[in-house]
Amino acid sequence: MLKELSIENIKKELIDKISNNEEVLEIFRKREYSKDEGKCLREYGDSFIKDNYIFNHHVPDDFDNYIFVEANEFEYPIYGNSKKEIRKSYSVDIMVEITDISELDKLSILLGDIATELYPNRYNYTNQSLFVTKKGSFGEYRCPKRIIKFTIE
């Protein structure tokens, strides 16, 4: 059975799989939290992580720890026989940033594995690093991120 591809379905599938992956959750469980966040983590458990750090939309630039998933839809014509067909493809971006940069590569590989498991026929796959300059209370700093990109049809 083929999956019905749509922006909504792709994001939902990826978010569900990421939010329920024990290794991903463990990375977020062991990061340093403020006193209030630590209290919420103890009180609400993994649902606190899922609700506050894993998103199905782009997050503001002032966030420091997150995973977000975005999908984009493209249509293009396929010419064959005498009919013109329209085909859709979806480009997917999964961005991750975490203050414990020693976990960043591991987390990005886990996210890539999740994408491959859900969409084994994906193509144009990349797992690339980038740096963003952010403003903090002590001035500007460079923050590493990773973005996993791929296309599915």
Side-chain angles (χ1 to χ4, degrees), residues 89-101:
S89 68
Y90 297 86
S91 69
V92 180
D93 298 336
I94 305 170
M95 187 172 286
V96 60
E97 180 184 328
I98 191 158
T99 49
D100 182 358
I101 60 172

Side-chain angles (χ1 to χ4, degrees), residues 12 17 64 131 134 141:
K12 183 181 181 334
K17 194 77 167 176
D64 286 332
F131 286 88
K134 292 188 167 192
Y141 63 98

Side-chain angles (χ1 to χ4, degrees), residues 50-150:
K50 294 174 186 181
D51 293 342
N52 293 283
Y53 297 99
I54 302 173
F55 302 99
N56 66 352
H57 54 80
H58 186 77
V59 296
D61 289 336
D62 59 350
F63 270 53
D64 286 332
N65 296 282
Y66 61 83
I67 296 170
F68 84 72
V69 177
E70 270 300 349
N72 304 291
E73 181 180 77
F74 300 94
E75 289 186 353
Y76 55 96
I78 301 286
Y79 298 100
N81 299 336
S82 60
K83 296 191 328 189
K84 178 177 138 186
E85 292 181 51
I86 299 293
R87 189 172 234 169
K88 290 184 181 182
S89 68
Y90 297 86
S91 69
V92 180
D93 298 336
I94 305 170
M95 187 172 286
V96 60
E97 180 184 328
I98 191 158
T99 49
D100 182 358
I101 60 172
S102 67
E103 296 284 9
L104 186 59
D105 291 342
K106 178 182 177 182
L107 189 52
S108 72
I109 291 167
L110 286 169
L111 296 171
D113 290 346
I114 289 169
T116 301
E117 181 184 333
L118 286 173
Y119 303 103
N121 295 326
R122 57 134 181 91
Y123 59 96
N124 293 336
Y125 178 86
T126 62
N127 182 341
Q128 65 191 75
S129 65
L130 60 134
F131 286 88
V132 178
T133 301
K134 292 188 167 192
K135 292 183 182 182
S137 54
F138 298 107
E140 288 187 349
Y141 63 98
R142 288 180 48 100
C143 178
K145 298 180 181 192
R146 293 204 70 86
I147 186 165
I148 296 90
K149 296 180 175 199
F150 58 94

